[in-house]
DNA sequence: GTGGTCTAGACCACC
DNA sequence: GTGGTCTAGACCACA
């Protein structure tokens, strides 16, 4: 796991977890690896991981069983998806459209780039 | 001008200026209003405006004539446009597609939101 | 038995036992089921149950006969009741009143919620 | 400010702030003293205060103006009140009733204690 | 000056 | 073993 960009590490960790939940790789009821383990694995301070877990717990994506660890909540996938979707639509799309407008790009061109990328993936 | 979102204020000011340059509203050679004037107008710390001007100056969009003020450089519009476009395509589009994929959104849906927003603006 | 809330599990178990003692369901001299049995029954670590028993033992509510098991002490009911009552009046009531005051609630409203709950239980 | 009980310090600080907001002593728009100031005043690590502020910000009771400080949000009082009330009714009242039932106390007796306390305050 | 993030290391309650 | 809290001290971006 690399921390390239300038976003906070604890959020990047959260995104990694959310990705796995949304894509269904991690199922509800599964136990996350412990704070300390993950911390040493990705070479980060345990406090940072703890912060990530606390945040996700707050969001209702994971929950804590005392003395045992964190687990993925029931319906985490849907909760996650709808939450991220809403956030995407409210925050990122307007910015995207503003920029497209400014740069005189339209959806046709975007689509072209999109298809190009899809083909590359194949 | 409101500074609601969590982006740095100086960047929001820069975006406002860039918008005007890219869209051709402000032409090359035009003088920008002074740091202090703009600062008091939008109720912001002058340091913040100064930072914006410094950044744009660094980008080659505006230049400073000591004791007189800031002016829009020659070819500012094209410079600006090509710079922003390249950055947009290289950095933002891949991230956009990744997220669309994750959230199971396609361009049709994006287009719908786009049109909705356009209608709201009318 | 569910351990949803954030109170320590061993205290929740203790509450369950205290309830039975105070209400007279469990009489003095009766034997409690063994640590291991209870643990496997409520799906909890045996250490946790052991801790509960140790605490109750400390409180003088139950006592241990080595090799045989835990038993409810003589006068457990009264001891328990007076102890809990005193603690309740001294520690919890003032806090309750402070909070009612702050939240602008009076006993009438409390009573309403109380009755509502009673009805739900029926 | 004293930190008597065993609840986390950052929550006790939050309660202190919430009390002031709910009771209307602190009005919307008012600026909270800075993290560092409050920390040194109550002799606590700045991180702890920061955590409190972050939590309240998350709850929508206060908000942050970049580089300036934290301010009380509009409608903080109502938001606060309804939030605390709901929490009180859902979490604390059932526990209260359970205990009253167990200890064979009724609202009449509670009322007596309540009135006693009220008289003492006079 | 403001808050935000991160590290290192400690201590605690709980299971 | 688990996570939760706190301290001390550092560095950063921002106004």
């Amino acid at each position: 796991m690399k921390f390239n960009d300038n976003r906070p590490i604890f959020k990047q960790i959260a995104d990694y977890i959310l990705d796995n939940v949304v894509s269904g790789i991690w199922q509800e009821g599964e136990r996350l690896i412990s704070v300390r383990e993950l911390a040493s694995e990705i070479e980060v301070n345990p406090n940072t991981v703890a912060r990530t877990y606390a945040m996700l717990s707050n969001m209702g994506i994971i929950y804590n069983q005392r003395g045992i660890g964190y687990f993925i909540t029931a319906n985490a996938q849907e909760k996650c998806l709808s939450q991220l979707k809403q956030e995407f639509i409210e925050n990122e799309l307007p910015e995207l459209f503003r920029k497209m407008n400014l740069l005189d790009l339209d959806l046709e061109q975007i689509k072209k780039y999109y298809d190009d990328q899809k083909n590359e993936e194949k």
Side-chain angles (χ1 to χ4, degrees), chain A:
Chain A
M1 199 167 186
K2 291 295 168 61
F3 304 109
N4 311 313
D5 47 45
N6 26 11
R7 292 167 54 237
I9 294 178
F10 78 90
K11 279 189 186 161
Q12 297 185 48
I13 302 172
D15 277 354
Y16 167 69
I17 295 171
L18 288 176
D19 275 13
N20 279 292
V21 171
V22 168
S23 61
I25 295 174
W26 294 356
Q27 302 283 337
E28 61 185 62
E30 269 186 57
R31 182 175 174 277
L32 279 70
I33 68 173
S34 80
V35 169
R36 302 201 222 293
E37 263 183 294
L38 179 53
S40 85
E41 198 171 285
I42 60 180
E43 290 178 313
V44 141
N45 189 291
N47 282 330
T48 306
V49 176
R51 193 170 176 183
T52 300
Y53 280 16
M55 189 182 71
L56 293 173
S57 175
N58 231 359
M59 291 168 62
I61 306 297
I62 62 180
Y63 67 95
N64 184 346
Q65 260 190 279
R66 300 181 71 108
I68 302 179
Y70 277 98
F71 299 80
I72 297 178
T73 55
N75 306 320
Q77 194 179 7
E78 295 125 65
K79 241 184 283 181
C80 220
L81 222 153
S82 70
Q83 219 163 317
L84 290 178
K85 222 167 192 165
Q86 171 138 3
E87 196 195 303
F88 176 74
I89 291 169
E90 283 181 4
N91 300 334
E92 300 183 35
L93 275 190
E95 182 59 21
L96 170 69
F97 296 144
R98 196 194 124 270
K99 210 143 193 180
M100 280 171 55
N101 213 33
L102 180 66
L103 300 181
D104 201 30
L105 290 166
D106 56 28
L107 278 168
E108 294 306 311
Q109 290 164 285
I110 300 287
K111 189 166 162 47
K112 199 178 124 283
Y113 292 116
Y114 186 45
D115 293 338
D116 287 356
Q117 168 152 324
K118 261 192 174 165
N119 287 330
E120 269 177 38
E121 281 174 0
K122 279 177 190 169

